Amino acid sequence: MKIVSIAVSRKKGTRKTLVDHARVIQNHGLDGDAHAGPWHRQVSFLSSESIQEAREKGLEVDFGDFAENVATVGIDWKNLPVGTRVKLGKTAIVEVSQIGKTCHKPCAIYYQAGDCIMPREGVFARVIQGGEIACGDPIELLEASPDAVGNNNSTK
């Protein structure tokens, strides 16, 4: 399990720009990313396997095109329970806060790529502990927070 891409954007609803590394800020998200802030969807995750499946269906997409912050290999994000804690790199820890999301209207990504898999397969987390992350860094699944509430079908 490892990080295969990191991406940020200055504006919500757009494809993100790939970066080699990023600073993850506690209770905020990725430094310089439009989705960072004091809410429950500070960092977004998508498996590289999901992106590959989209390619196999004919979509011309790459990392960052679904506005995910972090793409990974070896983790089935959409089936992790809400509350699961995940260590990214040496020190950053996030807690899964939402599986999927409700899109009220098609976004720029949908129009550019022809589909958006984030509502079905994207996972969102809040940052418990900050740190630096880089492409190639390992990922470790930790135990769920003892005070975590919810299930793995939260789509708000």
Side-chain angles (χ1 to χ4, degrees), residues 1-150:
M1 298 183 296
K2 69 179 181 177
I3 296 171
V4 294
S5 78
I6 303 168
V8 296
S9 64
R10 297 276 178 209
K11 187 177 176 186
K12 291 183 179 183
T14 62
R15 292 178 175 183
K16 293 188 182 285
T17 301
L18 298 178
V19 296
D20 292 329
H21 60 278
R23 184 166 61 115
V24 181
I25 303 169
Q26 184 174 349
N27 297 319
H28 185 72
L30 268 61
D31 190 23
D33 187 66
H35 290 91
W39 69 323
H40 68 288
R41 290 180 9 195
Q42 297 171 344
V43 182
S44 59
F45 296 87
L46 193 59
S47 73
S48 61
E49 294 88 348
S50 293
I51 295 169
Q52 181 58 36
E53 285 178 25
R55 288 182 190 133
E56 290 169 4
K57 291 179 181 177
L59 296 180
E60 293 183 25
V61 293
D62 205 349
F63 297 122
D65 286 351
F66 294 110
E68 78 283 354
N69 291 123
V70 179
T72 62
V73 65
I75 298 178
D76 185 9
W77 287 100
K78 66 185 181 299
N79 288 313
L80 289 180
V82 167
T84 301
R85 290 193 174 186
V86 181
K87 184 175 181 184
L88 307 170
K90 293 179 182 176
T91 60
I93 298 175
V94 299
E95 183 177 272
V96 173
S97 58
Q98 184 174 323
I99 310 295
K101 67 176 188 166
T102 300
C103 289
H104 301 287
K105 62 180 182 171
C107 62
I109 297 152
Y110 178 87
Y111 290 116
Q112 292 168 352
D115 186 20
C116 185
I117 59 178
M118 283 302 283
R120 300 184 303 273
E121 305 204 19
V123 168
F124 302 90
R126 60 186 187 92
V127 180
I128 303 301
Q129 180 176 302
E132 297 289 327
I133 59 171
C135 292
D137 275 356
I139 297 171
E140 180 183 350
L141 296 178
L142 305 174
E143 291 190 27
S145 165
D147 59 346
V149 177

Side-chain angles (χ1 to χ4, degrees), residues 82 99 151-155:
V82 167
I99 310 295
N151 59 42
N152 67 345
N153 294 318
S154 178
T155 57

